[in-house]
């Protein structure tokens, strides 16, 4: 059904999307972004799925937007027809957690897609970078905005202006990624994290994601109020009763997602 990505379901509840243009190191073209958007939306709408993993190959998560495709576009096509830009914001509309499992190169748009996910688990061979300046452009899918939030101004400027790559150890030290694991353990680690998330109440998981994302969009007082209202709303769910009753009864909780 898809040509540039592969999808599968793990353990009946984790949707896995693997970017799959191996000859181009998973360079992101319009077709791939259309397919990624469609797959994300399909998993988001599927009640059986509790968490989504986006990954690439061992060599590349994605080496950026497809330069061969971009090279021929002019302003009328990029701005007027939204070539290479369409569908990049789909990730932001996904309400279930999305984990990026990154091995190899995550450059340019590849780094930006990883940063749009909710958190990044990296293999020890991962390399992150925003090398757009080397080809006469700048990041175009949030790199100049999300990198400073993740790394602080100095490292973000260093990466965007010099185009240097950051290895997995530096990325973890800097807060860009949440965990680094050996390459052969990457999917196991990501799946483990996804299954832990799936074991919790679906509504609380969605609310937690929404509240954390709100912190990037609002002043602290508004964000704290937003969090408070979501917190209070969760007391209307049966999962809140079940979670607390189970704790007090010293038994595992059985969440229903209601
Ligand atoms: N686009 C197209 N093809 C690519 C890309 C790419 N981004 N990256 C690699 N490839 C291709 C190569 O052309 C090569 O193809 P071929 O075998 O036909 O010559 C193949 O993949 C293998 O690549 P290399 O031979 O170069 O492999 P190396 O291991 O020697 O090097 C690198 C790997 C370092 C990753 C190198 O390929 C490289 O520097 N790639 C380009 C990285 C880059 O500049 N990325 C940023 C692109 S711009 C961008 O992402 C802007 C995003 C804006 C999005 C806006 C949306 C709103």
């Amino acid at each position: 059904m898809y040509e540039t990505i592969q999808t599968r379901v793990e353990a009946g509840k984790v949707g896995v999307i693997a970017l799959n243009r191996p000859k181009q190191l998973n360079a992101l073209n319009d077709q791939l972004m259309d397919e990624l958007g469609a797959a994300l939306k399909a998993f988001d709408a599927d009640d059986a799925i509790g968490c989504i993993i986006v990954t690439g190959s061992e060599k590349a998560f994605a080496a950026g937007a497809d330069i061969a495709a971009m090279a021929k576009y002019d302003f009328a096509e990029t701005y007027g027809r939204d070539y290479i830009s369409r569908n990049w914001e789909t990730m932001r509309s996904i309400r279930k957690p999305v984990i990026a499992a990154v091995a190899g190169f995550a450059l340019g748009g590849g780094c930006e897609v990883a940063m749009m996910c909710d958190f990044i688990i990296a293999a020890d061979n991962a390399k992150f970078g925003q090398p757009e300046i080397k080809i006469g452009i700048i990041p175009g899918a949030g790199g100049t905005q999300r990198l400073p939030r993740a790394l602080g101004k100095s490292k973000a400027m260093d990466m965007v202006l010099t185009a240097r790559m950051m290895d997995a150890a530096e990325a973890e030290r800097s807060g860009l990624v949440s965990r680094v694991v050996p390459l052969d353990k990457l999917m196991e680690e990501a799946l483990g994290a996804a299954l832990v998330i799936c074991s919790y109440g679906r509504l609380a998981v969605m609310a937690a994601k929404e509240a954390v994302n709100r912190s990037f969009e609002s002043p602290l007082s508004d964000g704290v109020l937003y969090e408070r209202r979501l917190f209070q709303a969760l007391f209307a769910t049966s999962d809140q009763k079940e979670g607390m009753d189970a704790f007090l009864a010293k038994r595992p909780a059985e969440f229903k997602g209601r």
Side-chain angles (χ1 to χ4, degrees), residues 68-87:
M70 274 189 298
K72 56 183 184 291
Y73 293 153
D74 61 13
F75 178 73
E77 285 163 334
T78 54
Y79 180 77
R81 305 193 69 178
D82 227 10
Y83 285 174
I84 214 74
S85 304
R86 69 174 191 234
N87 248 326

Side-chain angles (χ1 to χ4, degrees), residues 36-247:
L36 175 60
L40 284 167
K41 279 190 191 164
F43 280 143
D44 208 32
D46 183 343
D47 282 344
I49 300 297
C51 191
I52 301 166
I53 297 173
V54 178
T55 192
S57 69
E58 292 196 348
K59 184 154 188 220
F61 178 75
D66 189 323
I67 301 170
M70 274 189 298
K72 56 183 184 291
Y73 293 153
D74 61 13
F75 178 73
E77 285 163 334
T78 54
Y79 180 77
R81 305 193 69 178
D82 227 10
Y83 285 174
I84 214 74
S85 304
R86 69 174 191 234
N87 248 326
W88 286 71
E89 293 293 309
T90 305
M91 182 77 84
R92 294 188 61 196
S93 68
I94 303 304
R95 300 181 70 200
K96 292 172 185 167
V98 183
I99 301 172
V102 174
F105 298 110
L107 302 178
C111 187
E112 291 170 310
V113 167
M115 285 193 288
M116 283 180 210
C117 297
D118 295 314
F119 61 99
I120 303 173
I121 299 181
D124 51 10
N125 75 338
K127 286 197 186 307
F128 298 87
Q130 298 287 164
E132 288 90 342
I133 200 100
K134 285 164 75 173
I135 54 169
I137 54 171
I138 67 169
T144 64
Q145 306 303 300
R146 291 194 178 91
L147 259 193
R149 284 166 168 81
L151 305 171
K153 176 183 167 185
S154 192
K155 268 188 193 286
M157 283 287 193
D158 183 358
M159 303 215 21
V160 170
L161 293 174
T162 71
R164 82 172 172 89
M165 290 188 212
M166 178 178 273
D167 67 19
E170 185 181 2
E172 186 183 31
R173 207 163 59 236
S174 311
L176 180 61
V177 313
S178 67
R179 317 176 190 183
V180 176
V181 294
L183 176 57
D184 62 351
K185 295 278 183 293
L186 178 65
M187 284 316 290
E188 188 182 321
E189 186 80 12
L191 190 58
L195 288 172
V196 168
I197 291 168
C198 288
S199 73
Y200 301 134
R202 181 78 54 88
L203 298 174
V205 166
M206 287 167 65
K209 167 169 172 159
E210 198 178 336
V212 173
N213 278 334
R214 193 74 178 192
S215 75
F216 294 101
E217 310 288 347
S218 54
L220 182 62
S221 54
D222 287 357
V224 167
L225 182 60
Y226 194 81
E227 177 199 73
R228 179 81 43 85
R229 293 293 176 252
L230 284 174
F231 170 82
Q232 290 163 337
L234 289 169
F235 283 74
T237 67
S238 59
D239 280 347
Q240 173 264 333
K241 305 281 176 292
E242 168 62 11
M244 294 188 186
D245 287 352
F247 175 83

